[in-house]
Coordinates of all heavy atoms in Angstrom, one line a residue:
A21 N 15.5 -10.5 2.7 CA 14.2 -11.1 2.4 C 13.9 -11.0 0.9 O 14.2 -10.0 0.3 CB 13.1 -10.3 3.1
G22 N 13.4 -12.1 0.4 CA 13.1 -12.2 -1.1 C 11.8 -11.4 -1.3 O 11.2 -10.7 -0.5
P23 N 11.3 -11.6 -2.6 CA 10.0 -10.9 -2.9 C 8.9 -11.2 -2.0 O 8.8 -12.4 -1.5 CB 9.8 -11.4 -4.4 CG 11.1 -11.9 -4.8 CD 11.8 -12.4 -3.6
Y24 N 8.0 -10.2 -1.8 CA 6.8 -10.4 -1.0 C 5.7 -9.4 -1.4 O 6.0 -8.5 -2.2 CB 7.1 -10.3 0.5 CG 7.7 -9.0 0.9 CD1 6.9 -8.0 1.3 CD2 9.1 -8.8 0.9 CE1 7.4 -6.7 1.7 CE2 9.6 -7.6 1.3 CZ 8.8 -6.6 1.7 OH 9.3 -5.4 2.1
T25 N 4.5 -9.6 -0.9 CA 3.4 -8.7 -1.2 C 3.1 -7.9 0.1 O 3.1 -8.5 1.2 CB 2.2 -9.6 -1.6 OG1 2.5 -10.3 -2.7 CG2 1.0 -8.7 -1.9
A26 N 2.9 -6.7 -0.1 CA 2.4 -5.8 1.0 C 1.0 -5.4 0.7 O 0.7 -5.1 -0.5 CB 3.3 -4.6 1.2
E27 N 0.2 -5.3 1.7 CA -1.2 -4.9 1.6 C -1.5 -3.7 2.4 O -1.0 -3.6 3.5 CB -2.2 -6.0 2.0 CG -2.0 -7.3 1.1 CD -2.9 -8.4 1.7 OE1 -3.2 -8.5 2.9 OE2 -3.2 -9.3 0.9
V28 N -2.4 -2.9 2.0 CA -2.9 -1.7 2.8 C -4.4 -2.0 3.0 O -5.2 -2.2 2.1 CB -2.7 -0.4 2.0 CG1 -3.3 0.8 2.8 CG2 -1.2 -0.2 1.7
W29 N -4.8 -1.9 4.3 CA -6.2 -2.1 4.7 C -6.7 -0.9 5.4 O -5.9 -0.2 6.1 CB -6.2 -3.3 5.7 CG -5.9 -4.6 5.1 CD1 -4.6 -5.1 4.9 CD2 -6.8 -5.6 4.7 NE1 -4.7 -6.3 4.4 CE2 -6.0 -6.7 4.2 CE3 -8.1 -5.7 4.7 CZ2 -6.6 -7.9 3.8 CZ3 -8.7 -6.9 4.3 CH2 -7.9 -7.9 3.8
A30 N -8.0 -0.6 5.2 CA -8.6 0.5 6.0 C -9.4 -0.3 7.2 O -10.0 -1.3 6.9 CB -9.7 1.2 5.2
S31 N -9.2 0.2 8.4 CA -9.7 -0.5 9.5 C -10.3 0.5 10.5 O -9.8 1.6 10.7 CB -8.6 -1.3 10.3 OG -9.1 -1.9 11.4
S32 N -11.4 0.1 11.2 CA -12.0 1.0 12.2 C -11.3 0.9 13.5 O -11.6 1.6 14.5 CB -13.5 0.6 12.4 OG -13.6 -0.7 12.8
N33 N -10.3 0.1 13.6 CA -9.5 0.0 14.8 C -8.0 -0.4 14.5 O -7.7 -0.3 13.3 CB -10.1 -1.1 15.8 CG -10.2 -2.5 15.1 OD1 -9.3 -2.9 14.5 ND2 -11.4 -3.1 15.2
S34 N -7.2 -0.7 15.4 CA -5.8 -1.0 15.1 C -5.5 -2.4 15.0 O -4.3 -2.8 14.9 CB -5.0 -0.3 16.3 OG -5.3 -0.9 17.5
E35 N -6.5 -3.3 14.9 CA -6.3 -4.7 14.7 C -6.7 -5.2 13.3 O -7.8 -4.9 12.9 CB -7.1 -5.5 15.8 CG -6.7 -5.2 17.2 CD -5.2 -5.7 17.5 OE1 -4.8 -6.8 17.0 OE2 -4.6 -5.0 18.3
L36 N -5.9 -5.9 12.6 CA -6.2 -6.4 11.3 C -7.2 -7.5 11.4 O -7.0 -8.5 12.1 CB -5.0 -6.8 10.5 CG -5.3 -7.4 9.1 CD1 -5.9 -6.3 8.2 CD2 -4.0 -7.9 8.5
D37 N -8.4 -7.3 10.7 CA -9.4 -8.4 10.6 C -9.8 -8.5 9.2 O -10.5 -7.6 8.7 CB -10.6 -8.0 11.5 CG -11.7 -9.0 11.4 OD1 -11.7 -9.9 10.6 OD2 -12.7 -8.9 12.2
V38 N -9.2 -9.5 8.5 CA -9.5 -9.6 7.0 C -10.9 -9.8 6.7 O -11.3 -9.6 5.5 CB -8.5 -10.6 6.4 CG1 -7.1 -10.3 6.6 CG2 -8.8 -12.0 6.9
E39 N -11.7 -10.2 7.6 CA -13.2 -10.4 7.4 C -13.9 -9.1 7.5 O -15.0 -8.9 6.8 CB -13.8 -11.4 8.4 CG -13.2 -12.8 8.3 CD -13.4 -13.5 7.0 OE1 -14.5 -13.3 6.4 OE2 -12.4 -14.1 6.5
A40 N -13.5 -8.1 8.3 CA -14.2 -6.9 8.5 C -13.6 -5.7 7.9 O -14.2 -4.7 7.5 CB -14.4 -6.7 10.0
D41 N -12.2 -5.7 7.8 CA -11.5 -4.5 7.3 C -11.6 -4.5 5.8 O -12.0 -5.4 5.1 CB -10.1 -4.5 7.7 CG -9.9 -4.4 9.3 OD1 -10.9 -3.9 9.9 OD2 -8.9 -4.8 9.8
V42 N -11.2 -3.3 5.2 CA -11.3 -3.1 3.7 C -10.0 -3.1 3.1 O -9.2 -2.2 3.4 CB -12.1 -1.8 3.4 CG1 -12.2 -1.6 1.9 CG2 -13.4 -1.8 4.1
L43 N -9.7 -4.1 2.2 CA -8.4 -4.1 1.5 C -8.5 -3.0 0.4 O -9.4 -2.9 -0.4 CB -8.2 -5.4 0.8 CG -6.9 -5.5 0.0 CD1 -5.7 -5.4 0.8 CD2 -6.9 -6.9 -0.8
V44 N -7.6 -2.0 0.5 CA -7.6 -0.9 -0.4 C -6.5 -0.9 -1.5 O -6.5 -0.1 -2.4 CB -7.6 0.5 0.3 CG1 -8.9 0.6 1.1 CG2 -6.4 0.7 1.2
G45 N -5.5 -1.8 -1.3 CA -4.4 -1.9 -2.3 C -3.4 -2.8 -1.9 O -3.3 -3.3 -0.7
S46 N -2.6 -3.2 -2.8 CA -1.5 -4.1 -2.6 C -0.3 -3.8 -3.5 O -0.5 -3.1 -4.5 CB -1.9 -5.6 -2.8 OG -2.2 -5.9 -4.1
L47 N 0.9 -4.2 -3.1 CA 2.1 -3.9 -3.8 C 3.1 -5.1 -3.8 O 3.3 -5.7 -2.7 CB 2.7 -2.7 -3.0 CG 4.0 -2.1 -3.5 CD1 3.8 -1.4 -4.9 CD2 4.6 -1.1 -2.5
N48 N 3.6 -5.4 -4.9 CA 4.6 -6.4 -5.0 C 6.0 -5.8 -4.7 O 6.3 -4.8 -5.4 CB 4.6 -7.1 -6.3 CG 3.3 -7.9 -6.5 OD1 2.9 -8.6 -5.6 ND2 2.8 -7.9 -7.7
V49 N 6.7 -6.3 -3.8 CA 8.0 -5.8 -3.4 C 9.1 -6.8 -3.8 O 9.0 -8.0 -3.6 CB 8.1 -5.5 -1.8 CG1 9.4 -5.0 -1.4 CG2 6.9 -4.6 -1.4
D50 N 10.2 -6.2 -4.4 CA 11.3 -7.1 -4.8 C 12.0 -7.8 -3.7 O 12.7 -8.8 -3.9 CB 12.3 -6.3 -5.7 CG 11.7 -5.8 -7.0 OD1 10.7 -6.5 -7.5 OD2 12.1 -4.8 -7.5
G51 N 12.0 -7.2 -2.5 CA 12.7 -7.8 -1.4 C 13.3 -6.7 -0.5 O 13.2 -5.5 -0.9
T52 N 13.8 -7.0 0.6 CA 14.4 -6.0 1.5 C 15.7 -6.6 2.1 O 15.8 -7.7 2.6 CB 13.5 -5.7 2.7 OG1 12.2 -5.3 2.1 CG2 14.0 -4.6 3.5
V53 N 16.8 -5.8 2.0 CA 18.1 -6.2 2.5 C 18.0 -6.3 4.0 O 17.3 -5.6 4.7 CB 19.2 -5.2 2.0 CG1 20.5 -5.5 2.6 CG2 19.2 -5.1 0.5
A54 N 18.8 -7.3 4.5 CA 18.8 -7.5 6.0 C 19.2 -6.2 6.7 O 20.1 -5.4 6.2 CB 19.8 -8.6 6.3
Q55 N 18.6 -6.0 7.9 CA 18.9 -4.9 8.8 C 18.7 -3.5 8.1 O 19.4 -2.5 8.4 CB 20.4 -5.0 9.3 CG 20.7 -6.2 10.1 CD 19.9 -6.2 11.4 OE1 19.9 -5.2 12.1 NE2 19.4 -7.4 11.8
T56 N 17.8 -3.4 7.2 CA 17.5 -2.1 6.5 C 16.0 -1.9 6.5 O 15.2 -2.8 6.8 CB 18.0 -2.1 5.1 OG1 17.3 -3.0 4.3 CG2 19.5 -2.3 5.0
Q57 N 15.6 -0.7 6.2 CA 14.2 -0.4 5.9 C 14.1 0.4 4.6 O 15.1 1.0 4.2 CB 13.6 0.5 7.0 CG 14.2 1.8 7.3 CD 13.6 2.5 8.4 OE1 12.8 1.9 9.2 NE2 13.9 3.8 8.6
Q58 N 13.0 0.3 3.9 CA 12.8 0.9 2.6 C 11.4 1.6 2.6 O 10.5 1.0 3.2 CB 13.0 -0.1 1.5 CG 14.3 -0.7 1.4 CD 14.4 -1.8 0.3 OE1 13.4 -2.5 0.1 NE2 15.5 -2.0 -0.3
S59 N 11.3 2.7 1.9 CA 10.0 3.3 1.7 C 9.4 2.9 0.4 O 10.1 2.7 -0.6 CB 10.2 4.9 1.7 OG 10.7 5.3 2.9
R60 N 8.1 2.8 0.4 CA 7.4 2.4 -0.8 C 6.2 3.4 -0.9 O 5.7 3.9 0.1 CB 6.8 1.0 -0.8 CG 7.9 -0.1 -0.7 CD 8.5 -0.3 -2.0 NE 9.3 -1.5 -2.0 CZ 10.7 -1.5 -2.0 NH1 11.3 -0.4 -2.0 NH2 11.3 -2.7 -2.0
T61 N 5.7 3.6 -2.1 CA 4.5 4.5 -2.3 C 3.5 3.7 -3.0 O 3.8 3.0 -4.0 CB 4.9 5.7 -3.1 OG1 5.9 6.4 -2.4 CG2 3.7 6.6 -3.3
L62 N 2.3 3.8 -2.6 CA 1.1 3.2 -3.2 C 0.0 4.1 -3.3 O -0.5 4.6 -2.3 CB 0.7 1.9 -2.4 CG -0.5 1.2 -2.9 CD1 -0.2 0.6 -4.3 CD2 -0.9 0.1 -2.0
D63 N -0.5 4.4 -4.5 CA -1.7 5.3 -4.7 C -2.9 4.4 -4.7 O -2.8 3.3 -5.4 CB -1.6 6.1 -6.0 CG -0.5 7.1 -6.0 OD1 -0.2 7.6 -4.9 OD2 0.1 7.3 -7.1
F64 N -4.0 4.7 -4.0 CA -5.2 3.9 -4.1 C -6.4 4.9 -3.9 O -6.3 6.0 -3.4 CB -5.2 2.9 -3.0 CG -5.0 3.4 -1.6 CD1 -6.1 3.8 -0.8 CD2 -3.7 3.4 -1.0 CE1 -6.0 4.2 0.5 CE2 -3.6 3.9 0.3 CZ -4.7 4.3 1.0
L65 N -7.5 4.4 -4.3 CA -8.8 5.1 -4.1 C -9.6 4.2 -3.1 O -9.7 3.0 -3.2 CB -9.6 5.2 -5.4 CG -8.9 6.0 -6.5 CD1 -9.7 5.9 -7.8 CD2 -8.8 7.5 -6.0
L66 N -10.2 4.9 -2.2 CA -11.1 4.3 -1.3 C -12.4 3.9 -2.0 O -12.9 4.6 -2.8 CB -11.4 5.2 -0.1 CG -10.2 5.5 0.8 CD1 -10.6 6.6 1.8 CD2 -9.7 4.3 1.5
P67 N -13.0 2.8 -1.6 CA -14.3 2.4 -2.2 C -15.4 3.4 -1.9 O -15.4 4.1 -0.9 CB -14.6 1.1 -1.5 CG -13.4 0.6 -0.8 CD -12.5 1.8 -0.6
D68 N -16.3 3.6 -2.9 CA -17.3 4.6 -2.7 C -18.2 4.3 -1.5 O -18.8 5.2 -0.9 CB -18.2 4.6 -4.0 CG -17.5 5.2 -5.2 OD1 -16.6 6.0 -5.0 OD2 -17.9 4.9 -6.3
D69 N -18.4 3.0 -1.1 CA -19.3 2.7 -0.1 C -18.6 2.6 1.3 O -19.3 2.2 2.3 CB -20.0 1.3 -0.4 CG -19.0 0.2 -0.5 OD1 -17.7 0.4 -0.6 OD2 -19.4 -1.0 -0.6
I70 N -17.4 3.1 1.4 CA -16.8 3.1 2.8 C -17.4 4.1 3.6 O -17.7 5.2 3.2 CB -15.2 3.3 2.7 CG1 -14.6 2.8 4.0 CG2 -14.9 4.7 2.3 CD1 -13.1 2.7 3.9
A71 N -17.8 3.7 4.8 CA -18.5 4.6 5.7 C -17.6 5.8 6.2 O -16.4 5.6 6.4 CB -19.0 3.9 6.9
G72 N -18.1 6.9 6.4 CA -17.4 8.0 7.0 C -17.1 7.7 8.5 O -17.8 6.9 9.1
G73 N -16.2 8.4 9.0 CA -15.8 8.2 10.4 C -14.4 8.2 10.7 O -13.6 8.6 9.8
I74 N -14.0 7.6 11.8 CA -12.6 7.5 12.2 C -12.0 6.2 11.7 O -12.6 5.1 12.1 CB -12.4 7.8 13.7 CG1 -12.8 9.2 14.0 CG2 -10.9 7.5 14.1 CD1 -12.8 9.5 15.5
W75 N -11.0 6.2 11.0 CA -10.3 5.0 10.4 C -8.8 5.0 10.7 O -8.3 6.0 11.0 CB -10.6 4.9 8.9 CG -12.0 4.6 8.6 CD1 -13.0 5.5 8.5 CD2 -12.5 3.3 8.2 NE1 -14.2 4.9 8.1 CE2 -13.9 3.5 7.9 CE3 -12.0 2.1 8.1 CZ2 -14.8 2.5 7.6 CZ3 -12.9 1.0 7.7 CH2 -14.2 1.3 7.5
R76 N -8.2 3.9 10.5 CA -6.8 3.8 10.5 C -6.4 3.0 9.2 O -7.2 2.2 8.7 CB -6.3 3.0 11.7 CG -6.5 3.7 13.0 CD -6.0 2.9 14.1 NE -6.2 3.5 15.4 CZ -5.4 4.3 16.1 NH1 -4.2 4.5 15.5 NH2 -5.7 4.8 17.2
F77 N -5.2 3.2 8.8 CA -4.7 2.4 7.7 C -3.6 1.4 8.2 O -2.8 1.8 9.0 CB -4.1 3.2 6.6 CG -5.1 4.0 5.8 CD1 -5.3 5.3 6.1 CD2 -5.9 3.4 4.9 CE1 -6.3 6.1 5.4 CE2 -6.9 4.1 4.2 CZ -7.1 5.4 4.5
L78 N -3.8 0.2 7.9 CA -2.9 -0.9 8.3 C -2.1 -1.4 7.1 O -2.7 -1.6 6.1 CB -3.6 -2.0 9.0 CG -4.2 -1.8 10.4 CD1 -5.2 -0.7 10.4 CD2 -4.8 -3.1 10.9
V79 N -0.8 -1.6 7.3 CA 0.0 -2.1 6.2 C 0.5 -3.5 6.7 O 1.2 -3.6 7.8 CB 1.2 -1.2 5.9 CG1 2.1 -1.9 4.8 CG2 0.7 0.1 5.4
R80 N 0.2 -4.5 5.9 CA 0.7 -5.9 6.3 C 1.7 -6.3 5.2 O 1.4 -6.4 4.1 CB -0.5 -6.9 6.3 CG 0.0 -8.3 6.6 CD -1.1 -9.2 6.8 NE -2.0 -9.4 5.6 CZ -2.9 -10.4 5.5 NH1 -3.0 -11.3 6.5 NH2 -3.6 -10.5 4.5
V81 N 3.0 -6.5 5.7 CA 4.0 -7.0 4.8 C 4.0 -8.5 4.8 O 3.6 -9.2 5.8 CB 5.4 -6.4 5.2 CG1 5.4 -4.9 5.0 CG2 5.8 -6.9 6.6
D82 N 4.5 -9.1 3.7 CA 4.5 -10.5 3.6 C 3.2 -11.1 3.8 O 3.0 -12.1 4.5 CB 5.6 -11.2 4.5 CG 5.9 -12.6 4.1 OD1 5.7 -13.0 2.9 OD2 6.3 -13.4 4.9

Side-chain angles (χ1 to χ4, degrees):
Y24 59 90
T25 301
E27 297 174 335
V28 178
W29 294 79
S31 178
S32 60
N33 57 48
S34 60
E35 298 293 323
L36 179 60
D37 179 348
V38 298
E39 299 297 323
D41 296 340
V42 180
L43 179 64
V44 295
S46 64
L47 178 70
N48 293 322
V49 180
D50 293 333
T52 305
V53 176
Q55 299 292 317
T56 66
Q57 63 183 12
Q58 298 173 330
S59 296
R60 301 279 192 252
T61 301
L62 176 66
D63 295 326
F64 58 87
L65 295 174
L66 295 173
D68 290 336
D69 61 349
I70 197 166
I74 297 174
W75 290 81
R76 293 179 184 267
F77 291 102
L78 285 61
V79 177
R80 177 170 65 166
V81 298
D82 194 23

